[in-house]
Amino acid sequence: MEIEQIEADGVTGLRVHGWEVTSCHRPILSNTAIEEHTAELGFNVPEMIFGDNFLRIRHSASGKELSLCALDALRMVDTGPLSAKAVQVSIARDWFESRRMRGIPVVNPFDWTFSTRYRGTSNLDFTTSSSGIDYERLKVREDILFYDENILFEDDLGDNGTSQLAYKVRVMPSGFFVLLRFFLRVDGVLFRIYDTRLYHRFGSDSVVREFSTREMPFDDVKRLLPRKEPGDEDLSLLNNIQFVDGVIGNPAVECEAASI
């Protein structure tokens, strides 16, 4: 197995089995860039937007490509007339007011939680599949040839919670696996997780994609906090994405596949 490492100008990755996997880490966008993207999108972007960060996975022979980036994800945020009221009117009003007080102009109505069902940007033709990712194969221990995790955007919703889009990627001798996660916590209201998982087994002719959605009221998650006695729960766990991920079950899952 021939492996070529890639490292230059904030980009790391590798070439293996005819695939090139690259992940880019760069600083938060400049104010000028933020203004340009706000004008393009028609709404205020998240406070922490890493618009130059990306994950790109390209198959050299076919030219097929998958990528993850913040701006494409934000293009899928709801901007309908009722979008700003989608979660809770009072908290949404607080969020818009917090931005106004800090001198950040608020443009057209939009989903202030930045909820996005973004599954990635790709020239692959994904269609519905009856079978999903082979997780038993992924459980097999093997060397990690490349691993990275990266944040695409994050916002504290005016101190009312957290909205974050981030990805993790790992490349093994047998294939690659990607998790793109949108995580939302609106204090006192709800938790929401949208996951996109991508898997390819080297030597096969397809890429599998799963998209899942989960949501649970804030108080229901809070009741699941471990405690030794009433009132002794560790509230910091509500800020722990791994904890919330572990207690919100029953996801709605869509499975797709695309030929290379």
Side-chain angles (χ1 to χ4, degrees), residues 1-44:
M1 178 175 57
E2 208 171 302
I3 301 171
E4 181 183 350
Q5 300 294 332
I6 299 171
E7 187 169 355
D9 191 26
V11 177
T12 58
L14 81 172
R15 295 183 183 93
V16 62
H17 287 295
W19 289 86
E20 180 177 287
V21 180
T22 51
S23 181
C24 180
H25 291 252
R26 295 215 170 104
I28 294 173
L29 288 181
S30 67
N31 289 335
T32 300
I34 287 174
E35 290 173 2
E36 292 173 354
H37 293 312
T38 295
E40 175 196 345
L41 294 167
F43 59 84
N44 299 82

Side-chain angles (χ1 to χ4, degrees), residues 134-160:
D134 185 351
Y135 289 102
E136 292 305 313
R137 179 181 291 273
L138 282 173
K139 290 177 184 177
V140 175
R141 294 180 65 87
E142 52 182 328
D143 294 337
I144 302 298
L145 305 179
F146 176 71
Y147 175 84
D148 196 21
E149 51 188 90
N150 206 355
I151 294 175
L152 297 177
F153 70 70
E154 189 166 7
D155 196 287
D156 68 3
L157 307 179
D159 291 329
N160 287 302

Side-chain angles (χ1 to χ4, degrees), residues 30-207:
S30 67
N31 289 335
T32 300
I34 287 174
E35 290 173 2
E36 292 173 354
H37 293 312
T38 295
E40 175 196 345
L41 294 167
F43 59 84
N44 299 82
V45 299
E47 289 186 333
M48 295 175 62
I49 176 168
F50 298 88
D52 295 325
N53 286 2
F54 64 79
L55 173 69
R56 185 172 297 127
I57 302 176
R58 186 176 186 276
H59 187 243
S60 301
S62 66
K64 298 297 184 181
E65 185 175 297
L66 298 153
S67 63
L68 306 176
C69 65
L71 293 174
D72 283 352
L74 289 170
R75 290 187 178 99
M76 298 188 68
V77 170
D78 186 7
T79 57
L82 300 178
S83 56
K85 302 177 182 179
V87 174
Q88 189 182 43
V89 174
S90 61
I91 291 183
R93 187 182 302 117
D94 290 344
W95 183 86
F96 282 103
E97 179 64 15
S98 74
R99 289 226 159 186
R100 187 188 68 80
M101 293 295 290
R102 284 177 285 173
I104 304 173
V106 177
V107 293
N108 301 325
F110 67 99
D111 179 358
W112 66 288
T113 69
F114 303 106
S115 294
T116 174
R117 293 173 177 260
Y118 178 61
R119 305 183 187 198
T121 305
S122 177
N123 59 4
L124 285 161
D125 184 19
F126 282 96
T127 58
T128 301
S129 173
S130 58
S131 58
I133 293 170
D134 185 351
Y135 289 102
E136 292 305 313
R137 179 181 291 273
L138 282 173
K139 290 177 184 177
V140 175
R141 294 180 65 87
E142 52 182 328
D143 294 337
I144 302 298
L145 305 179
F146 176 71
Y147 175 84
D148 196 21
E149 51 188 90
N150 206 355
I151 294 175
L152 297 177
F153 70 70
E154 189 166 7
D155 196 287
D156 68 3
L157 307 179
D159 291 329
N160 287 302
T162 298
S163 175
Q164 183 193 88
L165 183 69
Y167 67 78
K168 296 180 181 180
V169 56
R170 62 181 165 114
V171 182
M172 303 79 67
S174 65
F176 62 76
F177 177 74
V178 177
L179 169 63
L180 172 70
R181 170 164 289 168
F182 171 77
F183 175 83
L184 175 68
R185 186 192 85 245
V186 181
D187 293 336
V189 183
L190 61 79
F191 286 89
R192 175 181 292 159
I193 297 176
Y194 295 158
D195 283 342
T196 298
R197 292 176 170 85
L198 296 158
Y199 175 67
H200 170 70
R201 179 174 58 82
F202 292 138
S204 70
D205 61 359
S206 65
V207 176

